């Protein structure tokens, strides 16, 4: 698409803008948004693909703990090519293929600013869609497994809701680090996908007796770690599946649930929440190191699900919440 330039010489771009919190309909496509200029230690990325994450729907609705100042452009996981760099940037130059997990200006746009320390080289082995699937899903999976759960080789992990972006990332990372990986999915197709991405065993969470099947598989010991994508539905059952000293890591939750705290007592189990952006700079560097090793060795393989053009961002937000049996990572293509 030809770049539009204002009479003042400022370049314009297409971007999604949010002027008020609310439903998916508040995502407005505008074609006269000024392309931002990179400041010190920032890069400007020509966006080829942007990941869509459930957290972006919570932020948009105004119900999340983080509320951006209005108006804003959603999106944090982008992949593309460096257009320009700000002062003090030495690691990147114009033309480099990159991905990032935290934009400064918003990723649902033709261009996005990112800090140089949240931007990483995108190897030729991954395309831009896969690059846009790396950010939040893979960094969250790393934080959940290694920081929150302190998972170790030889332990067992149940990925409760394994066929989405974070779930598949968790399966790949856990398998590569020597854990026994159990997963759940909501369809036969989803189960197959989870098995192909590192799970040793997979269960259909739409079957009435699937919890009993997991108990049988885990044996008397129980499961050491549960990575939980829908705690408001599963937390009570999770507590009954854990081993002594087992821990449930809450990655996703869409409401409240009643649990019996007694279920944590006999086996001294824990419930631990995950917030990716509570990570320190050093922790992000650690997670990036794990992922870069995985990309080199070939076990980091983002699976792409639904793809949407930028103008269908509202539909993407509708679908990521209401489509059951999600498979792979949802992407906006620019």
């Amino acid at each position: 698409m030809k770049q539009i330039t204002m009479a003042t010489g400022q370049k314009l771009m297409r971007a999604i803008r949010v002027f008020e919190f609310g439903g998916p309909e508040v995502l407005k496509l505008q074609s006269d948004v000024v392309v931002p200029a990179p400041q010190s230690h920032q890069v400007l990325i020509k966006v080829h693909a942007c990941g869509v994450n459930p957290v972006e729907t919570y932020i948009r609705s105004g119900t999340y703990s983080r509320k951006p100042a209005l108006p804003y452009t959603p999106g944090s996981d982008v992949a593309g090519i460096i257009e320009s760099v700000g002062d003090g940037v030495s690691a990147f130059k114009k033309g480099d293929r990159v991905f990032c997990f935290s934009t400064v200006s918003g990723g649902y746009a033709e261009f996005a600013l990112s800090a140089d320390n949240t931007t990483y080289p995108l190897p030729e082995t991954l395309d831009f869609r896969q690059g846009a699937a790396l950010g939040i899903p893979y960094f969250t999976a790393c934080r959940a497994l290694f920081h929150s759960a302190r998972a170790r080789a030889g332990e067992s992990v149940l990925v409760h809701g394994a066929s989405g972006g974070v779930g598949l990332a968790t399966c790949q990372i856990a398998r590569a680090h020597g854990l026994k990986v159990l997963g759940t999915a909501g369809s036969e197709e989803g189960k197959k996908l989870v098995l192909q991405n590192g799970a040793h065993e997979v269960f259909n969470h739409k079957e009435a007796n699937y919890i009993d099947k997991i108990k049988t598989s885990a044996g008397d010991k129980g499961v050491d770690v549960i990575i939980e994508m829908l705690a408001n539905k599963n937390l009570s059952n999770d507590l009954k599946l854990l081993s002594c000293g087992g821990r449930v890591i809450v990655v996703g939750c869409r409401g409240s649930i009643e649990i019996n705290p007694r279920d944590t007592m006999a086996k001294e189990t824990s419930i631990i929440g995950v917030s990716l952006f509570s990570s320190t700079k050093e922790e992000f560097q650690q997670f990036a190191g794990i992922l870069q090793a995985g990309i080199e060795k070939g076990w980091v393989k983002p699976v792409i699900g639904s793809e949407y053009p930028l103008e269908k961002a509202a539909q993407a937000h509708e679908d990521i919440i209401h489509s059951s049996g999600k498979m792979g990572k949802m992407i906006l293509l620019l």
Side-chain angles (χ1 to χ4, degrees):
M1 185 185 154
K2 192 166 147 292
Q3 187 76 53
I4 302 167
T5 307
M6 284 175 77
T8 57
Q10 287 181 303
K11 287 184 174 175
L12 301 181
M13 65 176 180
R14 293 186 311 141
I16 297 291
R17 302 291 280 162
V18 175
F19 293 90
E20 59 180 329
F21 296 114
E25 69 282 354
V26 302
L27 298 173
K28 305 291 187 195
L29 179 64
Q30 298 204 305
S31 53
D32 58 352
V33 179
V34 174
V35 175
Q39 305 301 304
S40 176
H41 291 285
Q42 291 181 346
V43 297
L44 181 67
I45 301 169
K46 170 87 175 77
V47 179
H48 284 245
C50 179
V52 179
N53 295 289
V55 69
E56 287 142 28
T57 70
Y58 312 150
I59 294 169
R60 183 215 68 226
S61 66
T63 59
Y64 194 62
S65 53
R66 276 192 302 150
K67 272 193 189 175
L70 296 168
Y72 77 98
T73 294
S76 57
D77 296 347
V78 307
I81 291 175
I82 299 278
E83 178 75 9
S84 58
V85 301
D87 293 340
V89 177
S90 56
F92 302 103
K93 63 184 185 308
K94 183 178 168 69
D96 286 351
R97 287 165 45 96
V98 293
F99 73 94
C100 78
F101 64 82
S102 176
T103 63
V104 175
S105 58
Y108 296 10
E110 290 179 315
F111 292 89
L113 283 180
S114 173
D116 60 355
N117 64 359
T118 62
T119 305
Y120 301 93
L122 180 65
E124 294 289 343
T125 48
L126 299 180
D127 64 26
F128 289 119
R129 298 172 315 149
Q130 291 174 303
L134 285 170
I136 284 181
Y138 279 82
F139 281 85
T140 299
C142 283
R143 186 164 183 82
L145 282 169
F146 302 121
H147 176 271
S148 305
R150 308 218 182 290
R152 298 180 297 277
E155 288 193 310
S156 57
V157 59
L158 168 65
V159 185
H160 213 158
S163 64
V166 180
L168 292 170
T170 306
C171 290
Q172 291 172 6
I173 295 165
R175 180 67 180 254
H177 286 80
L179 283 93
K180 183 188 177 188
V181 183
L182 310 177
T184 76
S187 66
E188 285 309 306
E189 205 183 345
K191 282 174 67 179
K192 204 165 119 187
L193 188 62
V194 173
L195 280 174
Q196 287 166 350
N197 283 279
H200 293 87
E201 261 185 283
V202 64
F203 307 87
N204 186 335
H205 52 226
K206 290 187 176 166
E207 285 179 9
N209 65 339
Y210 86 97
I211 294 290
D212 295 330
K213 289 184 178 177
I214 296 173
K215 276 184 182 159
T216 304
S217 171
D220 293 337
K221 180 176 186 282
V223 179
D224 296 310
V225 175
I226 299 177
I227 307 294
E228 181 52 68
M229 307 302 170
L230 198 59
N232 53 296
K233 189 172 179 192
N234 301 322
L235 188 56
S236 182
N237 279 329
D238 288 342
L239 294 176
K240 298 178 179 76
L241 290 170
L242 289 172
S243 63
C244 287
R247 45 270 186 224
V248 179
I249 310 302
V250 179
V251 171
C253 184
R254 295 182 186 168
S256 57
I257 182 173
E258 187 173 312
I259 63 165
N260 185 347
R262 186 179 289 276
D263 291 336
T264 67
M265 292 166 67
K267 292 187 173 180
E268 296 189 323
T269 56
S270 318
I271 302 165
I272 303 167
V274 175
S275 171
L276 175 60
F277 290 98
S278 298
S279 306
T280 63
K281 195 173 163 184
E282 291 70 32
E283 285 164 350
F284 275 125
Q285 284 172 338
Q286 180 203 342
F287 305 151
I290 291 167
L291 297 183
Q292 282 168 326
I295 292 169
E296 283 168 21
K297 292 197 170 89
W299 54 257
V300 166
K301 299 184 295 265
V303 178
I304 306 306
S306 319
E307 299 175 7
Y308 300 78
L310 187 61
E311 56 270 23
K312 291 272 169 58
Q315 188 61 51
H317 271 219
E318 190 75 42
D319 293 350
I320 200 166
I321 295 301
H322 297 296
S323 300
S324 64
K326 279 197 296 293
M327 308 233 316
K329 181 78 182 102
M330 188 177 279
I331 298 288
L332 293 176
L333 288 174
L334 285 96

